[in-house]
């Protein structure tokens, strides 16, 4: 059964407050690299910078993700 799309609200995005907080950080990551398109790497970098109370950040912690190593790899600054 197909559902009609949810109409966009001009007042706020249809995201949780946690998701809304990631978007500005992702845009900042994109701008810091001189990028013109927001990509998954920018979103992941923003999630890695999230507070430990954020559900996505908690999931990364439970998975044993080394945040600083992941940031270095995503930014292409690892020494390998």
């Amino acid at each position: 059964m197909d559902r009609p799309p949810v109409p966009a609200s001009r007042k706020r995005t249809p995201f949780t407050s946690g998701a809304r907080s990631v978007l500005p950080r992702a845009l900042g990551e994109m701008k810091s690299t001189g990028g013109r398109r927001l990509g998954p790497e920018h979103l992941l970098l923003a999630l890695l910078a999230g507070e430990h109370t954020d559900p996505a950040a908690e999931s990364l912690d439970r998975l044993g993700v080394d945040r600083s190593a992941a940031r270095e790899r995503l930014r292409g600054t690892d020494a390998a």
Side-chain angles (χ1 to χ4, degrees):
M1 175 182 211
D2 289 310
R3 293 174 139 179
V6 176
S9 169
R10 292 180 184 199
K11 293 184 179 180
R12 64 181 197 149
T13 59
F15 298 119
T16 64
S17 60
R20 282 193 305 272
S21 72
V22 169
L23 291 174
R25 289 194 310 261
L27 287 170
E29 290 290 345
M30 178 195 72
K31 289 177 183 177
S32 73
T33 61
R36 296 179 62 183
R37 292 180 188 233
L38 185 65
E41 66 277 13
H42 304 116
L43 292 168
L44 184 52
L45 283 165
L47 287 172
L48 290 166
E51 298 290 324
H52 290 281
T53 57
D54 180 83
E58 287 177 5
S59 295
L60 292 170
D61 290 340
R62 279 194 304 269
L63 290 170
V65 173
D66 180 342
R67 291 175 181 222
S68 60
R71 279 191 290 269
E72 288 177 18
R73 292 279 310 256
L74 284 165
R75 290 183 177 143
T77 60
D78 60 341

